[in-house]
Amino acid sequence: MAFKGQIVIDTERCKGCAVCLAACPMQVIELSKNVNGKGYNYTEVVNDKCIGCASCAMVCPDGVISVYKKQC
Amino acid sequence: MANTDIEQRKQELLNQGYTEVYTKTKVLTDAVLHYCPGCGHGTTHRLVAEVIDEMGIQDKTVGVSPVGCSVMAYNYFDVDFQEAAHGRAPALATAIKRLNPDCFVFTYQGDGDLAAIGTAETIHACNRGENITMIFVNNGIYGMTGGQMAPTTLVGMKSATTPYGRNVALNGYPLRITELLATLPGTYYVTRQSVQTPAAVRKAKAAIRKAFENQKLQKGVSFVEIVSNCNSGWKMTPVAANKWMEENMFPNYPIGDIKVDGKIAEGIDANRLVLSHPLTVVNK
């Protein structure tokens, strides 16, 4: 049973700590070259391999990640 | 993305047949956390808030915030909060719990607050067996004031006040207050957890949940230590700090339950509880 996931990142609240990058098993997340209003390189989704495991959201200290998934 | 864009995007996904797996709990306010990027405090806040949300006790929970990095915890939790004088959170929580026995009362403290200036309050609240939950975030350093040595700083660990590393002859030994509290008869549940990986976060959440549930039993203090990083105090990136924590903090502060349901947990060496467990020397 495969799942396809989507994450929504609140980029303005993201502090670019990169803890979610280390936690992601599919290397879906990267730090953006752009910065947000506070000057942090926020995280962004770079591919569509997300499986909706919510590991990134689990470790995010600022709770900026929401995770959605559906069966495919 | 602005807030409305995020809400729109979430709604779009729901319309496309996605189900929500995870989103920030409503028990946390929308205020942006003032903590440094990657700090374990944020994760711990979220876990406490999620437990309050899941238990449905938002309207009868009272938190007590300390002095330290988490001094402004009251800004982030959408529950009743009191601010205690430095180290006195357990004393304040005692009063709140005794006056409102139906409330769920928790203290949220760091190592400088709980294990240094508040040692007396901590030990006596635990020894009296107050029916409260204590969340203790241990990052081995005074984070807010600029990374000075704390009682929990490891032997050999460099800090602002121990630039050549903590020296036992000069600065004494790290204080493992969680083991110390486990030996007191008033504690009912004592555990040490961490929040650096998804697996650790889930375990920590289960421990916090148990600590809150225990308040219904009226059996004594439930104490949860969260070993956390302090990447700015340790002068590391958040990911490197988490790795350093696993390699150096965990041997000195072993993760796991120490006391469960009023009894010392299985597999806990008695030597560890009398603080003769060998400490490792770190080099940073």
Side-chain angles (χ1 to χ4, degrees):
Chain A
M1 196 191 293
F3 285 100
K4 182 166 168 42
Q6 289 275 357
I7 60 173
V8 181
I9 301 169
D10 188 345
T11 51
E12 271 310 304
R13 291 163 56 92
C14 177
K15 292 176 184 163
C17 67
V19 173
C20 54
L21 270 68
C24 181
M26 305 302 282
Q27 286 81 44
V28 174
I29 314 168
E30 284 289 336
L31 284 185
S32 167
K33 289 197 175 67
N34 302 324
V35 294
N36 61 14
K38 297 206 167 195
Y40 292 118
N41 293 88
Y42 54 83
T43 47
E44 60 183 11
V45 178
V46 291
N47 59 42
D48 58 358
K49 290 183 191 159
C50 181
I51 52 171
C53 69
S55 291
C56 52
M58 277 284 155
V59 295
C60 178
D62 295 273
V64 303
I65 304 176
S66 300
V67 184
Y68 295 80
K69 76 174 176 185
K70 72 172 174 185
Q71 207 174 322
C72 64
Chain B
M1 281 197 279
N3 269 346
T4 49
D5 295 343
I6 291 164
E7 291 309 317
Q8 247 176 24
R9 176 80 183 124
K10 286 179 180 174
Q11 197 53 49
E12 262 172 39
L13 288 173
L14 290 176
N15 293 344
Q16 287 169 21
Y18 283 94
T19 49
E20 189 177 275
V21 183
Y22 190 91
T23 194
K24 193 182 73 143
T25 167
K26 298 280 177 232
V27 176
L28 281 181
T29 63
D30 283 336
V32 178
L33 300 170
H34 72 277
Y35 302 112
C36 307
C39 178
H41 269 302
T43 319
T44 313
H45 275 31
R46 198 160 44 75
L47 295 183
V48 174
E50 279 170 14
V51 166
I52 292 171
D53 194 8
E54 282 168 18
M55 289 176 68
I57 53 172
Q58 186 177 6
D59 54 349
K60 48 182 178 178
T61 300
V62 184
V64 185
S65 54
V67 172
C69 284
S70 47
V71 63
M72 287 191 276
Y74 47 77
N75 277 341
Y76 309 127
F77 288 96
D78 197 4
V79 301
D80 289 333
F81 242 87
Q82 289 266 345
E83 171 64 50
H86 202 348
R88 274 61 182 167
L92 188 51
T94 300
I96 296 169
K97 186 68 181 182
R98 287 189 179 195
L99 293 169
N100 306 283
D102 296 336
C103 282
F104 288 81
V105 182
F106 74 96
T107 69
Y108 186 102
Q109 301 174 266
D111 47 347
D113 191 79
L114 184 141
I117 193 165
T119 316
E121 279 75 11
T122 303
I123 288 180
H124 286 294
C126 287
N127 203 33
R128 288 194 304 268
E130 297 298 339
N131 199 15
I132 56 174
T133 300
M134 295 169 74
I135 312 286
F136 167 42
V137 179
N138 175 7
N139 53 16
I141 208 164
Y142 279 91
M144 186 185 74
T145 49
Q148 289 85 357
M149 187 190 79
T152 46
T153 300
L154 302 177
V155 179
M157 185 172 167
K158 292 189 179 75
S159 69
T161 44
T162 54
Y164 305 107
R166 182 176 187 158
N167 177 351
V168 170
L170 192 63
N171 311 114
Y173 295 95
L175 177 61
R176 274 195 289 240
I177 196 158
T178 307
E179 272 87 348
L180 194 146
L181 294 176
T183 62
L184 299 176
T187 50
Y188 187 65
Y189 178 53
V190 180
T191 185
R192 181 183 285 125
Q193 303 292 337
S194 65
V195 290
Q196 85 287 15
T197 61
V201 168
R202 284 174 205 272
K203 283 184 196 155
K205 185 173 171 183
I208 293 171
R209 172 84 191 227
K210 188 171 167 61
F212 273 84
E213 297 275 5
N214 281 347
Q215 287 199 30
K216 292 178 191 161
L217 304 175
Q218 317 242 336
K219 290 277 180 71
V221 173
S222 294
F223 188 93
V224 182
E225 172 178 348
I226 307 282
V227 180
S228 171
N229 63 3
C230 178
N231 48 72
S232 57
W234 296 353
K235 317 278 185 249
M236 293 177 186
T237 65
V239 176
N242 278 339
K243 189 158 177 291
W244 190 89
M245 176 176 79
E246 284 175 3
E247 287 166 0
N248 297 290
M249 292 285 276
F250 289 1
N252 291 287
Y253 300 110
I255 303 294
D257 290 341
I258 299 169
K259 194 175 189 180
V260 181
D261 297 346
K263 296 188 191 76
I264 298 298
E266 277 178 42
I268 296 293
D269 185 0
N271 281 337
R272 201 173 121 194
L273 296 176
V274 294
L275 305 181
S276 61
H277 181 71
L279 294 156
T280 61
V281 178
V282 304
N283 185 13
K284 180 173 78 68

